[in-house]
Amino acid sequence: MDKPRDMVSRLAELGYRLTPQRMLVLAAIENSDGHISAEEIYVQVVAKYPHVNISTVYRTLDLLTRLGLVTETDLGGGRVRYHPAAKGHHHHLICQQCGEIIDLEESTLSPLKKTLLQEYQFTADLRHLGIFGLCQKCRQ
Amino acid sequence: MDKPRDMVSRLAELGYRLTPQRMLVLAAIENSDGHISAEEIYVQVVAKYPHVNISTVYRTLDLLTRLGLVTETDLGGGRVRYHPAAKGHHHHLICQQCGEIIDLEESTLSPLKKTLLQEYQFTADLRHLGIFGLCQKCRQ
DNA sequence: TTTACTGCAAATCTTTTGCATCAAC
DNA sequence: GTTGATGCAAAAGATTTGCAGTAAA
């Protein structure tokens, strides 16, 4: 449903040029599990189009973020990760031992969001949430 | 109650040297509101002891973290923040507009922690949590 | 006196930027 | 042909590291 085509046509609609570099960045994000970093995108893109520069990846990510087509998540560790906005928000449980990233359903956080609003008058933007801890396997 | 003295004596107990640089880093962390960055610590330390180098601040923070005397929180934005472990865990609501950091009571997150354990078998370490959004003032 | 700790400079890592060239439209 | 997009190289910001000198114990 949320094929790169959608982001591509959105870019075209808005008058942005459809360069091969952009197509490849879009494809990498779309085919990822939703937790891809700029470096990882770069590696995928270079594999098919050896001349791209990583600054182009960053510029494309910046553009897509500004247009609201992708969402940035800073899970700490000094690396920002990206996923397609059209796939909907999701949250992340990050295992501090093995590094596994588990997706969390949005509904799990609804009660928290409500509490923050009622008790702290704070409108939480939970798109950017990462929760650290230990997964089942590593807990033992 | 949790005066730098406690961390100082712990360091001494463990055989670490009590240098003026370390004392000043400890004091800065202790006197902070609990969301201090390495750079901010450095500025405070330099004011009293002009020759310190920021790498000493980082090395001290690394030591204190490894000893469990301070806790690191990565609130995103490429800057890690520190607070004394003895002051207990607390969580942060960060306003994306004005940058205000609001402390959150630990109890607010207890229901979430329980849900994550029951439904995802994930043991959340909520010491490292930052929630982004908009504070009351900026919401309007 | 011993050796852990420090200062300094240089390196690392991620991300950003200036600028001349290039290609999508 | 225009002008936005790219490649390259250099910069920027946070953090780390190698090394020789210094000071805490």
Side-chain angles (χ1 to χ4, degrees):
Chain A
M1 328 280 100
D2 297 320
K3 291 283 167 299
R5 179 150 317 296
D6 292 347
M7 296 207 257
V8 170
S9 36
R10 189 87 190 100
L11 284 181
E13 261 173 55
L14 294 168
Y16 292 98
R17 294 184 182 171
L18 306 180
T19 66
Q21 292 90 331
R22 281 185 178 160
M23 301 296 102
L24 288 168
V25 170
L26 287 173
I29 297 171
E30 191 61 37
N31 296 330
S32 78
D33 62 354
H35 312 108
I36 197 166
S37 68
E39 182 70 29
E40 288 161 358
I41 292 169
Y42 173 65
V43 169
Q44 285 190 39
V45 174
V46 159
K48 298 205 169 178
Y49 201 91
H51 267 274
V52 279
N53 190 277
I54 195 161
S55 66
T56 298
V57 173
Y58 278 109
R59 280 190 278 231
T60 301
L61 289 171
D62 182 55
L63 174 65
L64 297 173
T65 302
R66 278 187 285 110
L67 296 179
L69 297 175
V70 310
T71 300
E72 294 184 312
T73 307
D74 189 340
L75 301 179
R79 229 193 217 85
V80 177
R81 293 179 172 275
Y82 301 86
H83 80 110
K87 282 192 175 170
H89 307 157
H90 62 258
H91 316 294
H92 314 91
L93 303 176
I94 304 110
C95 180
Q96 291 174 311
Q97 190 110 59
C98 69
E100 192 189 359
I101 299 178
I102 301 162
D103 281 4
L104 192 57
E105 280 179 48
E106 187 146 24
S107 62
T108 310
L109 295 177
S110 304
L112 173 63
K113 192 165 179 170
K114 194 174 292 179
T115 305
L116 294 180
L117 190 56
Q118 289 175 348
E119 296 185 12
Y120 294 86
Q121 288 77 51
F122 187 86
T123 311
D125 173 7
L126 295 177
R127 285 176 302 184
H128 298 269
L129 190 67
I131 298 175
F132 294 85
L134 291 178
C135 72
Q136 189 174 19
K137 282 169 290 182
C138 295
R139 199 173 13 157
Q140 302 147 19
Chain B
M1 328 278 102
D2 295 321
K3 290 282 167 297
R5 178 150 319 296
D6 292 347
M7 297 208 256
V8 171
S9 36
R10 188 87 189 100
L11 283 180
E13 261 173 57
L14 294 168
Y16 293 96
R17 293 184 183 170
L18 306 180
T19 66
Q21 292 92 329
R22 281 186 178 159
M23 301 297 101
L24 288 168
V25 170
L26 287 172
I29 297 172
E30 190 62 37
N31 296 330
S32 79
D33 61 356
H35 313 110
I36 196 167
S37 68
E39 183 69 31
E40 288 162 357
I41 292 169
Y42 174 65
V43 169
Q44 286 192 37
V45 173
V46 159
K48 298 207 171 177
Y49 201 91
H51 266 274
V52 277
N53 190 276
I54 196 161
S55 65
T56 298
V57 173
Y58 279 109
R59 280 189 279 232
T60 302
L61 289 171
D62 181 56
L63 175 65
L64 297 173
T65 302
R66 277 186 286 110
L67 296 179
L69 297 175
V70 310
T71 300
E72 294 185 311
T73 306
D74 189 341
L75 301 179
R79 230 193 215 83
V80 176
R81 292 178 173 277
Y82 300 85
H83 80 111
K87 282 192 176 171
H89 308 156
H90 62 260
H91 316 295
H92 316 91
L93 302 177
I94 305 110
C95 181
Q96 292 174 308
Q97 190 110 57
C98 69
E100 192 189 358
I101 299 178
I102 301 163
D103 281 5
L104 191 58
E105 281 179 48
E106 186 146 24
S107 63
T108 311
L109 295 175
S110 304
L112 173 62
K113 193 165 180 172
K114 195 173 293 181
T115 305
L116 295 179
L117 191 55
Q118 288 174 349
E119 297 185 13
Y120 294 86
Q121 288 79 51
F122 186 86
T123 311
D125 174 6
L126 296 177
R127 284 175 303 182
H128 298 268
L129 191 66
I131 298 175
F132 295 85
L134 291 178
C135 72
Q136 189 174 18
K137 280 169 289 178
C138 295
R139 199 168 19 152
Q140 301 148 18

